[in-house]
Amino acid sequence: MYTQNCIQCDAKYTPEEILYTCPKCSGLLEIIYDWSGQSISRKDFEGIPLSLWKYKALLPVEREPVTTNEGGTPLYKCERLGESFGTGTFYVKHEGLNPTGSFKDRGMTVGVSKALELGMKTVACASTGNTSASLAIYGAKAGIPVVVLLPAGKVAMGKVAQAIMHGAKVLSIKGNFDDALKLVRDLCDNEGFYLLNSINPYRLEGQKTIAFEIVDQLGWEVPDRVVLPVGNAGNITAIYKGFKEFYELGLTDKIPKMTGIQAEGACPVVNAFKQRLNDIVPVSNPETVATAIRIGDPVNAIKALRAIYQSGGLAESVSDEEIIAAQKDLARIEGIGVEPASASSVAGFRKLFGMGIIEPGETVVCVTTGHLLKDPEEVLSICESPIEVEATAESVRKAVFS
Ligand SMILES: *Cc1c(COP(=O)(O)O)cnc(C)c1O
Ligand SMILES: [Zn+2]
């Protein structure tokens, strides 16, 4: 049993109503469960291999899900990188190892399953890239059309490749992500398409399983802090909700400090946090190498700020240089290949430790949200080019030792 509740005025709506915001006050919605009369214990989850649908009892889907085996991503223990940072060992939850290479798959397996359950015929989203790649595969699997709106020229190549190969109708909008989101919301309202951006409360339900898996992988321990990139601010909200639900079910005994990282050129949530505000002032021309978080007006900002305040967490920004350095360090010291946005979590962790805000001894999990291969052009622009040599043993030897 669950309802869609407005976070602002507390109005409640049934699960079947097709809503993205509260009709009364325009507040954001969240799925709230009534688990009374249901006993959920640790035993229910033990001995089952890790995957998103392991947690079906805590997800708002009744039908057979549309799935491509999402979740169950590794939690890496980073000893060498922690040593080089001087921070001590920390963990990386590598969401780049989901089916399309980002955590968006968690939201979409639930979101598209829900779309079918609600009888929706077409699904749509605006995207900085990963959302479109993900929606494209679940739409394909479900056998329904997918429409995606991308900001022209600002989407990493790997992501566009996925969206077009999997058969989505891809529109390149002459504007930024925030413009594309406004346009797709309008399209969905007028055409009856199902909107699967993170304003959709069902999508965030899928993403909350990142929290469940972290707890599972730490043997029912809850980390002191979870650090992750913030763009449209859905994921930080979702992960917080996951930890909160485990806590409320009595499965765990605390909630980690939710720590959101944004790029300096696109950091409205950080600005709001630093002034202790409950809402953001949009940034009009967001700019960063981390295209997945190049967002000036995050729709879930109010929810995200609540998650940060209620968990005793914080928000901090990092420069593109710090992001690139962390991306290289992850790749070269830990063998973890991530796209720039993902590296901002590790860059933020390093910076906050250096500032004395993250303390030695804290158990920290950084979430890396997307795979390295998403953005090969960025890689080619920051790394040494392959060395061209004549096909002779002598030239090869010379090049190796030069
Ligand atoms: C979508 C995305 C983000 C941002 O997540 P939000 O929920 O929009 O805050 C960060 N990194 C990557 C790789 C993403 O695809
Ligand atoms: Zn309301």
Side-chain angles (χ1 to χ4, degrees):
M1 260 291 293
Y2 52 88
T3 48
Q4 309 185 74
N5 294 14
C6 172
I7 69 160
Q8 222 107 269
C9 75
D10 216 30
K12 293 179 177 55
Y13 305 95
T14 64
E16 300 78 39
E17 282 172 90
I18 314 289
L19 300 169
Y20 309 109
T21 51
C22 176
K24 295 190 183 129
C25 79
S26 313
L28 295 165
L29 300 174
E30 76 182 334
I31 308 300
I32 298 294
Y33 300 81
D34 177 5
W35 280 311
S36 57
Q38 228 174 314
S39 79
I40 291 169
S41 73
R42 289 186 178 187
K43 266 210 212 72
D44 296 323
F45 303 108
E46 277 160 11
I48 304 169
L50 205 60
S51 84
L52 179 139
W53 290 103
K54 170 173 179 175
Y55 302 100
K56 189 158 195 276
L58 306 177
L59 293 170
V61 174
E62 279 68 53
R63 58 164 284 133
E64 198 52 44
V66 181
T67 174
T68 59
N69 292 328
E70 42 297 308
T73 56
L75 185 71
Y76 295 123
K77 201 170 183 176
C78 297
E79 289 173 349
R80 289 184 57 220
L81 189 53
E83 199 176 308
S84 88
F85 286 171
T87 56
T89 300
F90 67 101
Y91 295 89
V92 163
K93 175 78 169 156
H94 192 16
E95 286 295 295
L97 296 181
N98 274 293
T100 71
S102 86
F103 72 84
K104 301 298 197 302
D105 295 342
R106 294 182 188 268
M108 290 307 179
T109 182
V110 170
V112 172
S113 298
K114 200 69 197 176
L116 295 188
E117 207 162 270
L118 295 169
M120 304 306 283
K121 303 283 185 253
T122 299
V123 287
C125 70
S127 177
T128 60
N130 283 330
T131 302
S132 70
S134 186
L135 187 56
I137 74 158
Y138 291 95
K141 185 102 186 175
I144 54 172
V146 173
V147 179
V148 306
L149 277 64
L150 306 177
K154 294 294 181 183
V155 180
M157 200 168 61
K159 306 175 187 182
V160 182
Q162 289 176 297
I164 56 182
M165 175 51 98
H166 290 290
K169 173 154 265 181
V170 178
L171 311 183
S172 193
I173 302 296
K174 292 175 186 153
N176 61 26
F177 169 82
D178 304 298
D179 301 321
L181 182 56
K182 283 196 195 85
L183 290 165
V184 79
R185 288 181 74 168
D186 187 72
L187 182 72
C188 289
D189 286 345
N190 288 306
E191 301 302 329
F193 295 172
Y194 194 52
L195 178 65
L196 275 168
N197 278 98
S198 57
I199 195 163
N200 182 316
Y202 288 114
R203 205 189 102 179
L204 295 184
E205 289 303 290
Q207 293 172 207
K208 77 183 179 187
T209 57
I210 293 174
F212 300 163
E213 290 189 7
I214 289 171
V215 171
D216 195 314
Q217 288 167 305
L218 292 175
W220 291 106
E221 288 296 319
V222 176
D224 297 310
R225 186 183 298 274
V226 172
V227 187
L228 72 154
V230 171
N232 222 9
N235 209 29
I236 191 170
T237 308
I239 297 176
Y240 170 68
K241 189 170 188 283
F243 282 113
K244 197 163 124 204
E245 288 179 355
F246 260 20
Y247 177 77
E248 286 169 355
L249 284 162
L251 299 172
T252 52
D253 57 7
K254 69 172 184 190
I255 292 171
K257 298 183 175 82
M258 299 306 300
T259 303
I261 309 297
Q262 296 195 295
E264 276 173 2
C267 65
V269 174
V270 175
N271 296 340
F273 172 78
K274 293 201 167 167
Q275 298 169 67
R276 296 280 151 183
L277 301 176
N278 296 318
D279 199 359
I280 55 143
V281 178
V283 168
S284 50
N285 290 305
E287 211 39 89
T288 167
V289 66
T291 51
I293 52 172
R294 187 175 170 275
I295 294 175
D297 189 8
V299 282
N300 290 298
I302 294 176
K303 278 184 172 178
L305 285 162
R306 283 191 192 186
I308 288 168
Y309 295 133
Q310 287 173 7
S311 68
L314 62 106
E316 186 54 81
S317 62
V318 290
S319 67
D320 280 3
E321 291 70 40
E322 289 168 320
I323 290 173
I324 291 167
Q327 186 190 23
K328 282 189 174 169
D329 286 342
L330 274 167
R332 295 177 179 192
I333 300 175
E334 292 294 340
I336 302 172
V338 304
E339 67 168 287
S342 308
S344 67
S345 60
V346 173
F349 166 57
R350 179 187 207 166
K351 179 173 176 180
L352 289 164
F353 190 89
M355 293 164 78
I357 294 172
I358 294 184
E359 290 170 22
E362 280 189 40
T363 307
V364 176
V365 174
C366 294
V367 181
T368 56
T369 43
H371 198 279
L372 173 72
L373 292 174
K374 293 283 190 171
D375 196 351
E377 286 169 313
E378 182 263 351
V379 175
L380 296 177
S381 75
I382 63 161
C383 292
E384 312 72 15
S385 300
I387 307 159
E388 274 190 42
V389 293
E390 296 302 324
T392 66
E394 180 53 25
S395 339
V396 169
R397 213 174 298 117
K398 241 173 90 187
V400 166
F401 294 107
S402 74

